[in-house]
Amino acid sequence: MTYAYDDQNVFARILRGEIPNATVLETEHSLAFNDIAPQAPVHVLVIPKGPYVCYDHFAAEASDAEIVDFTRTIAKVCEMKELAADGFRMISNAGAHGVQEVPHLHVHILGGRVLGRMLEKA
Ligand code: AMP
């Protein structure tokens, strides 16, 4: 799959400093910030700084340094938000079936309450 990246998406604008964000953690290759419409007491989005549309795009094309940085940033956010003891959920939506609204890779980290079953039954 070849992905075309739209650099006008809202997370690209956050990365360029055009709109504000509530930063949780910034690293060389990644940014973690609070979701603007939180669905749980903890709802952090982790994004790579590079132009990747979704997780499979990133996993296939990002450098080793970007992938390590992104993965470690997720771990650091979990530690900062003290999520290990009670657990949490990570979600990364992709494309139309995944109902991805923002076409820049993001992992949702959700926690702070019991989150229910992963999917509603169809
Ligand atoms: P998704 O449906 O996986 O693409 O999720 C996109 C997420 O981005 C939603 O949870 C939105 O609430 C969140 N979002 C959209 N705009 C912003 C923003 N400016 N700052 C933080 N989160 C945002």
Side-chain angles (χ1 to χ4, degrees):
M1 174 75 186
T2 303
Y3 287 103
Y5 182 77
D6 168 16
D7 68 4
Q8 294 307 307
N9 77 75
V10 66
F11 295 166
R13 297 185 64 209
I14 284 176
L15 287 167
R16 289 196 297 269
E18 294 171 5
I19 54 175
N21 74 93
T23 298
V24 172
L25 180 64
E26 181 167 9
T27 67
E28 182 179 2
H29 295 295
S30 308
L31 180 67
F33 53 98
N34 289 321
D35 195 290
I36 203 167
Q39 295 186 42
V42 175
H43 189 169
V44 177
L45 302 174
V46 183
I47 67 174
K49 291 182 177 176
Y52 303 103
V53 175
C54 53
Y55 194 84
D56 56 304
H57 185 202
F58 177 75
E61 296 189 12
S63 67
D64 291 0
E66 290 175 299
I67 291 170
V68 169
D69 183 294
F70 186 71
T71 305
R72 296 269 194 256
T73 299
I74 290 169
K76 284 176 193 154
V77 169
C78 290
E79 186 178 3
M80 290 169 73
K81 298 294 182 182
E82 300 180 333
L83 294 175
D86 291 329
F88 63 96
R89 179 170 296 154
M90 286 171 48
I91 299 171
S92 191
N93 297 315
H97 282 190
V99 195
Q100 180 181 11
E101 292 174 9
V102 180
H104 181 114
L105 168 60
H106 50 285
V107 168
H108 299 254
I109 300 177
L110 298 142
R113 67 169 171 83
V114 176
L115 296 162
R117 304 291 295 183
M118 185 171 67
L119 293 175
E120 294 172 11
K121 288 184 180 162

